[in-house]
Structures are given as C-alpha cells and as structure tokens.
Amino acid sequence: MESCLATSDNAEVGVLVLGGSSGRVEAGRCALLSAHGMTAMSIRWFGGPGQAPGICEVPLETFVSALDLLAATGVSRLAVLGLSKGAEAALMLACVEPRVQAVVALSPSSVVWANVGPGPDGVTVPYRSSWTWRGRPVPFAPYPAQWPAGGPPTSFRAFYERGLAAAPPEAAIPLERTRAEVLLVAGGDDLMWPSLAFANALAGRREVRIVSHPLAGHRPLLPGEAPPPPSPSYLYGGSPEADAALGAAAWPRIVDMLNQPSA
C-alpha cells in the first residue's frame, strides 16, 4: 500500500489524512500536521496494487488497518482528516471505528454515494456503494439519471443536489453513532457538490462545528498550500483568495481540536 508517514517527537496525536477522488497520497498535509507536533499518515486507498481501480466498494477496513499502523507509533489519540470523497470515508470510518476521537471533514458529504469508477471486477455500472464494511455494501444514494450538461469544465453541484433530494434515508451518514469530535469545513461556492448544505445536514444529526466561507470552493487551502491549477474537466468554484481564507479560518480550529487531550 502506497503511503507516507510524517512523525513528530513525542507526538500524542496520530492523524490519518485521506485525499479525495484524485487518489493522491497527501504528503504535504502530513508534513504540515507533523510540523505542529502530530504524527500523520496518508495512504493510497484505491487505484494501487490489489485495490479497486475506482472508488467502488472500498473496504472501510482499509482505513482501520492504517489506524493500526498509526497506533503502533505510540500515539494516544487517533483522528482522521479527509477531503471530499476522503471526507465521506473519514465520517463513515468514525461511525464504525470507536478509536477515532476526532474527524476533520473538508468539503464533506452528508450521504454515502454510489461508486466513482470501476470496482475490483473492472465494472462501473450498474452502480454500487463506494464503501463496504465487514464484507457488506454500505447503503448509498444513487446518481440522478440525467448527467450534467455543458462543459468541460463541468459543475456537478446541481447534479448532486438532485441526488440528495432523492437519496434514500438509509444512505445518510449515521453521524450520531460516533463519539468523535467533528469539524466540518465547507465553501459556499463549492461547484463540485453542495458541501455547505451537506455540512448543515450533518449538523442536524448531532453536534458538530462548522467553518465556512461564502466565496470558497471545493478545495480549501490550508496555510502554506499552493492553489492547484485549474482543472480542464471540472469546476470546483471559489478562488485562490477565498479558498485560502477558508483554510486560514479553519486551521487554528483544526489544530486545537486534533490536539485535545485524549478522553
């Protein structure tokens, strides 16, 4: 499993860092967390050897195994920080793994969605869940029949809004099942999916903290991170300035929550 591990002397907090649908190992974010006294690990959780080529029926046990490796470094508090589909995974992981004591979800979803790309069998459709737990698919929201028109680059926000309106109740991420502290970071101009609406829906299930910015998009920038280049395929919304402002507002709350003493 492709991974990176950034350690900090005498770290008490271990953070699993999950990228989004790019599949990227987030070495830069691990280094940022390590510079603030935490041990951080990021893994490739799909698209690698022995893994599904897409985000399709990815076992949540993949992330449990990563937590095992983090725990073995001697940390006493385990947390997860995820972006987009990685945030969806982070929130679901907290619902099934009691060792997770804190979750930071950047541009989160409030429901589990159908797969993005093919599963281990190489098949994309018919659609299946993005995740499994103990060998069983996690209930999911299917995609609307009509795909976005226009582009590229294309906004998927209205597409996901239609999907959310028709999502079955059992597809909702059952956030009330976790005792973890939860911080949600969302931009009001997210054009990939309506992450701020998702964050508010999650807040309806249990107490969470939300940090938002009305002009930020899907990819908040934490301190020191460079803006990614514009995508030829997708519209993410926001601007480098607004995305950095959201990250700057969220960052002290992220550090404070992750560094809370273990219960």
Side-chain angles (χ1 to χ4, degrees):
M1 178 172 60
E2 183 184 351
S3 65
C4 71
L5 178 68
T7 60
S8 184
D9 292 342
N10 303 314
E12 296 185 3
V13 181
V15 186
L16 175 60
V17 181
L18 302 178
S21 56
S22 69
R24 182 171 53 243
V25 174
E26 297 284 0
R29 284 191 172 164
C30 286
L32 180 61
L33 293 166
S34 175
H36 285 76
M38 300 171 238
T39 289
M41 169 181 279
S42 185
I43 63 171
R44 175 173 289 279
W45 46 272
F46 74 97
Q51 297 176 329
I55 307 174
C56 182
E57 296 192 332
V58 175
L60 293 174
E61 287 87 350
T62 304
F63 311 116
V64 173
S65 296
L67 291 178
D68 292 341
L69 295 174
L70 269 175
T73 67
V75 298
S76 58
R77 178 175 169 86
L78 292 173
V80 191
L81 184 153
L83 167 69
S84 190
K85 286 297 288 188
E88 185 182 315
L91 292 165
M92 274 305 308
L93 179 62
C95 295
V96 299
E97 171 52 79
R99 291 181 297 171
V100 175
Q101 294 179 265
V103 179
V104 178
L106 310 177
S107 303
S109 172
S110 61
V111 303
V112 168
W113 290 99
N115 57 297
V116 180
D121 55 4
V123 175
T124 299
V125 292
Y127 289 109
R128 292 163 282 177
S129 181
S130 291
W131 322 106
T132 66
W133 175 242
R134 295 178 176 171
R136 302 171 71 94
V138 175
F140 67 96
Y143 295 126
Q146 184 178 359
W147 284 80
T154 303
S155 170
F156 277 76
R157 177 170 176 151
F159 175 78
Y160 279 103
E161 287 172 339
R162 296 198 308 272
L164 181 62
E170 60 270 20
I173 295 173
L175 203 59
E176 64 277 6
R177 296 182 186 175
T178 180
R179 295 183 179 179
E181 297 178 86
V182 178
L183 177 65
L184 309 174
V185 180
D189 190 44
D190 189 338
L191 296 183
M192 175 53 65
W193 64 19
S195 56
L196 185 53
F198 288 151
N200 289 328
L202 289 164
R205 303 190 73 92
R206 56 150 287 176
E207 182 180 355
V208 301
R209 284 177 278 179
I210 299 175
V211 181
S212 65
H213 188 292
L215 301 181
H218 190 68
R219 301 185 287 188
L221 297 172
L222 300 181
E225 294 182 338
S231 169
S233 302
Y234 305 112
L235 291 173
Y236 291 100
S239 68
E241 296 78 14
D243 296 346
L246 175 57
W251 180 241
R253 301 189 188 189
I254 291 172
V255 173
D256 180 66
M257 190 183 79
L258 294 179
N259 276 321
Q260 288 294 319
S262 300

